[in-house]
Amino acid sequence: MTEIDAIPPERRRGRGAATNPEGRFDPYVRTVEPDGWDRDDDLPPLRTHVSVEVPKRVISRNDSPDLSFDRSVNPYRGCEHGCIYCFARPSHAYLGLSPGLDFETRLIARPKAPDRLARELSAARYKVAPIAIGTNTDPYQPIERDRRIMRGLIEVLRDFRHPLIIATKGTLIERDVDILAEMAADGLVRVGISVTSLDADLSRRLEPRVPAPARRLRAIETLSRAGVPVRVMVSPVIPGLTDHEIEPILESARDAGAVGAHWAMLRLPWEVSTLFARWLRDHYPNKASKVMARLREMHGGKEYSAEWHHRMRGEGVYADLIAQRYDLACARLGLDGETPPLRRDLFHIPPRIGDQLSLF
């Protein structure tokens, strides 16, 4: 991707990626070449475009040993938050779209997801286990304010008394504290709030449409006061850029009411590596070589390795040092306790309108 292929800053204000490269399945490579003609009119700023998808099924299954859950639901594809490091960016290539700016601006909403979820939970063969939401793209990204698909999903899970795990950076989760508090009282929900950095300027560059760090800490406080158990996710830890903030983030989250924590190292699968390296050169050119060298050090000379038990944390001296610092800080702050398992015994299929009720 050449410099001329970068979208002008005035057109991508509030976006994370600078370019819109082809996905790895695209058979063609497109480049922009000057033709010698001056452009009299500027192109408009990039706007968010939302398409609708009607899925046949919404529960996705996984058998990854790196994850604590085996099923998840995604109300949206793509994410307007625009986090430059997002490991979900390559998933847009499956749609024939770019992991770059397309991932942030061409979103897919699934408004029928709550109805499909209720149907799948009602199946006779369904076996209960926690459903995770927010593991790919954020369910509380800005378009949720109007679409309310996540609200519909948690209403279904509440009605079915089904265990739920939520991961988000979005403070819109406070809107749903009424349902989450009700589920938490029965041991049915756990929330993870991601805080990558406490530096508001760095956060705005990394995660251009995510609420500021201080605002996310207030969301932890709001949920905690309502009785919802919250874990802070120090994720991703970016070597040479945010690694010095592990302890301050954990302490600030503990003070806000977090009862547990989790961390993960920066990972750059597929197209994310090129996008992130470009972002580093644009915003932190004096740190770019150090950051990328540390990543290669942790992945056997490559910028990313997808091996089980390795991809989330890396390996080597630096990765071990980060893990030790995290463990010591959690022990000191009381964030290293075991989280009680979510209850599964309360699950039931609620009666539908028109169903005949029992006489006894």
Side-chain angles (χ1 to χ4, degrees):
M1 188 65 63
T2 63
E3 291 298 319
I4 200 168
D5 290 325
I7 306 299
E10 59 272 16
R11 291 198 62 212
R12 54 181 167 87
R13 191 181 306 277
R15 308 294 180 178
T19 59
N20 210 35
E22 299 77 18
R24 60 191 181 281
F25 305 118
D26 197 320
Y28 302 104
V29 174
R30 294 176 291 275
T31 61
V32 177
E33 296 291 341
D35 59 6
W37 292 84
D38 293 331
R39 183 183 296 278
D40 295 326
D41 55 325
D42 293 329
L43 293 173
L46 292 172
R47 303 296 185 190
T48 301
H49 175 77
V50 183
S51 301
V52 171
E53 175 186 84
V54 180
K56 294 182 179 179
R57 301 184 63 85
V58 294
I59 299 179
S60 300
R61 306 276 179 163
N62 80 82
D63 57 0
S64 170
D66 291 326
L67 301 177
S68 61
F69 55 87
D70 68 354
R71 64 200 69 183
S72 60
V73 173
N74 291 297
Y76 303 102
R77 299 182 189 271
C79 187
E80 199 173 8
H81 279 161
C83 305
I84 190 60
Y85 53 74
C86 183
F87 63 84
R89 284 180 176 273
S91 65
H92 240 42
Y94 293 112
L95 305 175
L97 299 173
S98 172
L101 286 164
D102 279 353
F103 180 79
E104 308 172 39
T105 62
R106 299 182 65 180
L107 311 181
I108 311 295
R110 312 171 88 191
K112 295 294 185 181
D115 294 337
R116 295 293 189 268
L117 177 60
R119 181 182 301 176
E120 291 177 51
L121 297 182
S122 299
R125 298 176 60 185
Y126 182 76
K127 303 296 183 184
V128 181
I131 285 178
I133 305 182
T135 58
N136 195 46
T137 58
D138 203 310
Y140 287 108
Q141 58 180 286
I143 61 171
E144 166 64 16
R145 189 177 305 278
D146 297 324
R147 302 281 170 160
R148 299 175 68 87
I149 302 173
M150 180 59 175
R151 174 80 180 188
L153 289 170
I154 62 174
E155 286 174 340
V156 169
L157 293 166
R158 175 202 58 194
D159 294 345
F160 278 77
R161 312 274 278 171
H162 193 289
L164 167 65
I165 301 169
I166 299 174
T168 185
K169 296 181 180 72
T171 56
L172 185 57
I173 191 174
E174 294 173 328
R175 178 201 63 190
D176 297 334
V177 71
D178 56 334
I179 301 177
L180 298 177
E182 179 184 344
M183 296 180 71
D186 292 327
L188 291 172
V189 69
R190 183 169 66 243
V191 172
I193 301 289
S194 176
V195 182
T196 310
S197 170
L198 296 176
D199 183 329
D201 179 65
L202 172 57
S203 176
R204 183 60 58 206
R205 295 166 187 251
L206 270 174
E207 312 153 329
R209 298 200 176 199
V210 176
R215 183 65 185 85
R216 279 177 265 175
L217 291 172
R218 290 204 303 273
I220 292 176
E221 184 176 2
T222 297
L223 292 168
S224 298
R225 285 183 174 178
V228 180
V230 182
R231 298 168 65 88
V232 60
M233 299 186 296
V234 188
S235 174
V237 173
I238 303 176
L241 196 61
T242 68
D243 50 356
H244 64 286
E245 296 193 74
I246 293 173
E247 293 86 355
I249 291 172
L250 290 170
E251 185 169 358
S252 297
R254 189 279 310 269
D255 293 345
V259 297
H262 172 79
W263 79 278
M265 192 69 74
L266 174 68
R267 50 195 179 112
L268 302 176
W270 298 105
E271 297 93 341
V272 186
S273 180
T274 302
L275 292 166
F276 183 77
R278 168 63 187 263
W279 178 90
L280 275 175
R281 294 195 302 271
D282 287 347
H283 294 276
Y284 297 94
N286 60 324
K287 297 183 178 182
S289 60
K290 177 182 178 181
V291 173
M292 301 308 291
R294 285 292 194 196
L295 288 171
R296 288 189 289 269
E297 174 187 317
M298 291 185 289
H299 295 291
K302 298 182 292 185
E303 292 172 359
Y304 177 67
S305 172
E307 294 178 12
W308 300 132
H309 309 296
H310 172 88
R311 57 187 183 137
M312 300 286 196
R313 302 289 173 86
E315 62 182 7
V317 174
Y318 175 79
D320 291 344
L321 176 62
I322 293 297
Q324 292 172 23
R325 285 177 50 197
Y326 170 84
D327 289 343
L328 288 171
C330 283
R332 175 173 59 85
L333 296 168
L335 294 174
D336 59 343
E338 291 291 330
T339 303
L342 297 176
R343 295 185 64 177
R344 308 184 188 195
D345 58 306
L346 299 178
F347 177 79
H348 78 290
I349 300 175
R352 295 173 298 180
I353 295 177
D355 286 353
Q356 182 172 338
L357 301 178
S358 171
L359 297 176
F360 305 98

